[in-house]
Amino acid sequence: RRRYVPSMAEAASAQDDLSASSAYATLDALLSEGKLTQAELQLYKSKFAKLHAAVLQTYDNERTLLAKAKQLNAELAEERRNLDEVSRKAEEGSETTAALRAEVAKGEAELAVREERVGLTEQELEELQKVHQDLEGDIASVAARQAAELTPQIEALEAAVDEARAELAKSKASLAKVQRDRNEVQSRYDELRQARTDVEARRAQLAVQLVKVKSEPDKVKKQADAVAGGLAGPGA
């Protein structure tokens, strides 16, 4: 079952309500109890706000990538239908058609790999969300621990966010390659269609010439006799 990803409006609202979160309330309580200085309070609030914003941005990136993958899949399916129609009308056993079919199959296989990678990214984001939730729980109970113990956890979570961003960058590059492959298939399709048009035009031209020859048999015979006479020479 796919997990819930907040919309942009919900993410913005969550960012605005961050000051009213339980994490901020706990940190304010630690300040009141003298367990944190004002500088430490601002430091932890700043780090938590950055982490929160990074998670929300990751949600937006995930939605964008999934939408792009669906769009490319639909476009590739449309190209497949067009190529199938051209192949149906072309001569059976055409090497060009077979090559185009192979290119389409290759593109579909690569798209499946890209979609699988996007799915893996979604799983990593789910794990990241769980870590984020665990961090909020740790902050809620920080009154029983020293504030300095939170620093390694926050740094580790920041590293996890950086890794997620790197993976998303790789997914974007992979989707760009699928787009280039789709453009190449379109170019090959256009070449095949133009070649077929040229052949049909040449066939029509030859048909016109044949009709013209058949309609003037006497003229053709006279021209043939004249040529034969010229070859015989004056001494014949």
Side-chain angles (χ1 to χ4, degrees):
R1 185 179 61 183
R2 297 176 61 85
R3 66 179 177 79
Y4 170 71
V5 177
S7 65
M8 294 182 65
E10 292 171 333
S13 176
Q15 184 68 25
D16 293 339
D17 295 340
L18 188 59
S19 59
S21 68
S22 61
Y24 272 29
T26 300
L27 291 173
D28 289 336
L30 289 174
L31 177 67
S32 300
E33 296 171 3
K35 295 181 179 180
L36 288 178
T37 65
Q38 184 66 35
E40 289 174 332
L41 175 68
Q42 295 302 322
L43 173 63
Y44 288 121
K45 281 187 176 182
S46 175
K47 286 190 174 185
F48 186 81
K50 291 179 180 179
L51 177 62
H52 188 75
V55 171
L56 294 180
Q57 182 62 43
T58 302
Y59 290 155
D60 289 339
N61 291 340
E62 178 191 357
R63 280 195 305 274
T64 300
L65 285 174
L66 290 176
K68 185 63 176 179
K70 291 179 180 178
Q71 178 185 353
L72 289 176
N73 193 22
E75 292 176 358
L76 190 60
E78 179 64 24
E79 294 300 330
R80 177 64 182 274
R81 286 191 291 270
N82 292 336
L83 288 173
D84 287 343
E85 179 64 19
V86 172
S87 298
R88 185 181 65 82
K89 295 178 181 179
E91 294 181 0
E92 292 295 331
S94 171
E95 294 181 359
T96 303
T97 301
L100 285 174
R101 288 182 181 275
E103 290 293 337
V104 171
K106 179 181 177 182
E108 289 177 340
E110 292 182 355
L111 181 60
V113 173
R114 303 300 181 269
E115 290 177 340
E116 181 180 358
R117 290 183 179 176
V118 170
L120 292 176
T121 301
E122 181 180 354
Q123 180 180 357
E124 292 173 356
L125 289 174
E126 290 178 352
E127 295 174 356
L128 182 60
Q129 183 187 36
K130 183 178 182 302
V131 173
H132 180 262
Q133 293 171 348
D134 292 342
L135 178 61
E136 287 187 335
D138 291 341
I139 293 178
S141 61
V142 75
R145 290 178 287 172
Q146 294 292 330
E149 294 178 358
L150 292 176
T151 301
Q153 298 179 34
I154 293 177
E155 291 177 349
L157 193 52
E158 288 175 342
V161 171
D162 291 339
E163 291 178 1
R165 286 176 174 172
E167 184 61 28
L168 286 173
K170 292 179 181 179
S171 296
K172 288 181 179 179
S174 297
L175 288 173
K177 186 177 185 305
V178 171
Q179 180 67 37
R180 291 194 299 270
D181 292 343
R182 190 192 69 82
N183 292 338
E184 182 179 350
V185 171
Q186 178 65 44
S187 177
R188 289 177 182 269
Y189 162 72
D190 292 339
E191 291 175 2
L192 178 61
R193 184 171 60 182
Q194 183 60 45
R196 185 166 180 243
T197 300
D198 293 343
V199 169
E200 291 178 350
R202 179 58 179 166
R203 183 182 298 171
Q205 182 180 4
L206 291 175
V208 171
Q209 292 178 358
L210 180 60
V211 171
K212 184 177 180 181
V213 169
K214 289 182 177 180
S215 65
E216 299 178 353
D218 294 337
K219 183 177 181 181
V220 173
K221 184 176 184 302
K222 289 179 180 180
Q223 291 177 348
D225 293 342
V227 172
L231 292 175

